Amino acid sequence: MTTAEIYGRFKECSGVTTDSRKCGPGLMFFALKGERFDGNEFVQGALEQGCSYAVMDDASRYDAQDSRMILVDNVLSALQNVAALHRRTMGTPVIGITGTNGKTTTKELTNAVMSSTYNVLYTQGNLNNSIGVPLTVLGLKPEHEYAIVEMGASHPGDIKELVEVSQPDYGLITNVGKAHLLGFGSFEGVKRTKGELYDWLREHNGTAFVNRDNEHLQQMCSGLPLIEYGKPGQNGLLVEGEVLECNPFVKFRWRSGEGCWHTVQTSLIGAYNVDNALAAITIGLKFGVTEDNASAAVAGYMPQNNRSQLTKTERNSLVVDAYNANPTSMAAAIENFSMMKADNKMLILGDMRELGEVSESEHRHIVEQLKESGFTNVWLVGSEFAKVAQDSDFRLFADVEAVNEALKIEPLSGFCILIKGSNSIGLTKTITNL
């Protein structure tokens, strides 16, 4: 069956699902395969639960007499192709967002700003991969005026694959940094892959939103129509802004052109989040959101998912930024924490994963930064930190279980604690003991 024919069946449905536990009347089930599962095994069950159609690629389970079954060569490719056709058919303006750090927060802030004025479809949670992006795009409905699609990457070619599905008219790369180097091979590999968003925009007459202060992005966006934001005092910016304070939440001010300054008190921790907020405001202003609405949207945004969250327990204040970690974001978090006004500061930091051959040197840089910042009460978790911090006064733990055992023996009270590490380290498991 061709993509157009499958799309015709899709238009008969109320939505799509790839989860056999979330099947129901009117849905189209895409029987995806993974390392530990094969969706083809659940096709019959999905149809029995009321799904209108099931797209599958296992011929041995296909029943040609059942018109609800749709046999294809590859279910993931079919999902992506149908989504790409839907995106072209709907014609909704799409804003694509990627970057090493801050892409999810920027996506959420951009949605807050744009939704103050428009009906917006945006990526839910962290559904920014080869499955999540087409699922997001297939959620487009006639009432949506704009779509904001977040795209993640861990290997060369990932963004190219995702832009071919989402087909953005506008794009934003928040930044490029040393992350997933095991997959990308090098920092240059990171830049090339993230830059695949710019490549798409160049080839399709798109426009990029770019931070004027980021030298890497300035080099990468050559030849593109630009809408820029950045620090004050630069000509040609649509939006300029600067940090006012971080105690602990960020307060900043911004203005457009020679207009009046707007002061915004956020619920975000980390001066680095001002760039994310300026990006969201810039996008909003480009599409006609008023300055007051943009400021109010950023001020009203509440971070979630362990990204720059302040959590107060009965005994301590926690700065939880443990969704992910790489050298760029870790260094920024430590720098911001050093600027915060707080008593009894402490840090619990976990290994930064997927750094490949530069892992040891990058962890050593973080240890040196901790020393230079004057921090003394530091707990480091994981084998990578253990390799480079043996000569320090910092406490070393093999894993999060060892940390929790220590916390039960010696409970902490009255501290302001930064918690950051790669998600796989599991540092959020310490929160209940803090």
Side-chain angles (χ1 to χ4, degrees):
M1 189 175 287
T2 66
T3 296
E5 290 172 326
I6 300 173
Y7 184 59
R9 307 295 194 278
F10 161 76
K11 289 195 291 185
E12 299 173 14
C13 299
S14 58
V16 299
T17 181
T18 61
D19 189 338
S20 61
R21 299 164 298 182
K22 297 180 179 179
C23 292
L27 296 177
M28 175 177 276
F29 175 61
F30 283 86
L32 295 171
K33 293 178 182 176
E35 292 182 4
R36 301 177 182 176
F37 66 91
D38 182 351
N40 289 280
E41 298 176 1
F42 304 100
V43 165
Q44 191 60 49
L47 295 173
E48 290 173 358
Q49 293 177 67
C51 283
S52 297
Y53 298 99
V55 182
M56 59 194 298
D57 52 17
D58 184 347
S60 68
R61 297 178 185 273
Y62 175 64
D63 180 359
Q65 302 303 312
D66 191 337
S67 61
R68 299 172 298 171
M69 292 187 182
I70 300 172
L71 184 65
V72 298
D73 291 333
N74 182 284
V75 172
L76 178 58
S77 295
L79 174 68
Q80 294 176 339
N81 291 337
V82 170
L85 177 54
H86 183 57
R87 187 266 177 270
R88 291 194 296 273
T89 302
M90 298 302 292
T92 311
V94 173
I95 304 159
I97 297 177
T98 190
T100 301
N101 302 304
K103 57 184 173 292
T104 298
T105 299
T106 301
K107 176 259 299 183
E108 295 284 340
L109 286 167
T110 302
N111 173 64
V113 171
M114 291 291 287
S115 293
S116 71
T117 306
Y118 300 106
N119 189 326
V120 178
L121 173 77
Y122 71 107
T123 300
Q124 298 295 305
N126 200 36
L127 293 175
N128 61 13
N129 61 11
S130 60
I131 299 170
V133 167
L135 289 178
T136 297
V137 170
L138 286 171
L140 274 171
K141 293 181 170 49
E143 60 264 30
H144 290 129
E145 297 169 280
Y146 291 94
I148 302 167
V149 180
E150 177 187 341
M151 294 172 285
S154 55
H155 297 87
D158 282 354
I159 297 299
K160 183 177 187 295
E161 176 184 356
L162 299 181
V163 295
E164 289 176 351
V165 174
S166 60
Q167 303 163 36
D169 304 285
Y170 300 85
L172 169 73
I173 301 176
T174 56
N175 50 52
V176 286
K178 297 176 181 178
H180 301 296
L181 296 184
L182 206 55
F184 289 122
S186 66
F187 180 48
E188 288 302 315
V190 175
K191 291 168 64 176
R192 281 194 299 273
T193 302
K194 300 297 184 183
E196 289 165 0
L197 173 55
Y198 288 161
D199 294 340
W200 169 273
L201 296 175
R202 284 191 194 91
E203 295 166 6
H204 297 84
N205 300 313
T207 300
F209 296 94
V210 180
N211 184 345
R212 174 79 65 81
D213 303 311
N214 190 304
E215 294 180 4
H216 295 299
L217 298 181
Q218 288 295 319
Q219 296 167 0
M220 293 164 58
C221 69
S222 175
L224 271 171
L226 304 180
I227 301 171
E228 295 180 286
Y229 58 95
K231 295 176 182 176
Q234 305 179 82
N235 294 327
L237 302 180
L238 178 58
V239 171
E240 61 180 12
E242 59 188 354
V243 179
L244 296 178
E245 61 181 51
C246 303
N247 294 318
F249 298 115
V250 174
K251 179 190 286 188
F252 71 100
R253 68 172 188 164
W254 71 273
R255 68 176 178 178
S256 180
E258 296 298 320
C260 65
W261 286 99
H262 300 264
T263 299
V264 181
Q265 175 65 65
T266 76
S267 295
L268 294 161
I269 291 177
Y272 46 84
N273 274 309
V274 171
D275 284 343
N276 301 332
L278 293 178
I281 292 169
T282 301
I283 293 172
L285 265 58
K286 163 62 181 176
F287 297 115
V289 176
T290 67
E291 296 186 4
D292 287 343
N293 282 351
S295 288
V298 173
Y301 171 71
M302 298 298 295
Q304 298 176 350
N305 300 325
N306 299 314
R307 287 182 169 89
S308 302
Q309 286 179 258
L310 179 67
T311 301
K312 292 192 176 182
T313 69
E314 293 182 0
R315 303 192 309 272
N316 301 288
S317 294
L318 313 178
V319 178
V320 183
D321 192 3
Y323 183 82
N324 217 334
N326 56 59
T328 306
S329 66
M330 183 72 84
I334 293 170
E335 179 181 3
N336 184 78
F337 194 59
S338 68
M339 295 188 298
M340 278 179 52
K341 293 180 180 178
D343 297 324
N344 298 326
K345 289 183 182 179
M346 178 180 175
L347 302 90
I348 301 177
L349 307 180
D351 280 353
M352 302 173 289
R353 295 282 174 84
E354 299 182 49
L355 293 181
E357 61 184 20
V358 301
S359 181
E360 184 170 329
S361 62
E362 293 298 339
H363 281 84
R364 181 174 288 109
H365 289 157
I366 294 299
V367 170
E368 292 304 315
Q369 181 185 3
L370 290 166
K371 293 177 181 177
E372 292 170 4
S373 299
F375 291 119
T376 56
N377 197 354
V378 178
W379 291 12
L380 301 176
V381 186
S383 59
E384 295 302 304
F385 272 126
K387 293 176 185 177
V388 299
Q390 294 290 345
D391 61 346
S392 72
D393 293 327
F394 305 148
R395 292 184 62 173
L396 305 179
F397 296 85
D399 49 37
V400 72
E401 286 73 22
V403 174
N404 281 328
E405 286 300 316
L407 290 172
K408 292 175 183 176
I409 297 170
E410 44 187 314
L412 299 175
S413 185
F415 287 91
C416 180
I417 307 171
L418 172 64
I419 301 173
K420 186 167 180 64
S422 286
N423 191 42
S424 57
I425 298 294
L427 289 186
T428 54
K429 297 176 183 177
T430 65
I431 293 175
T432 56
N433 292 315
L434 292 169

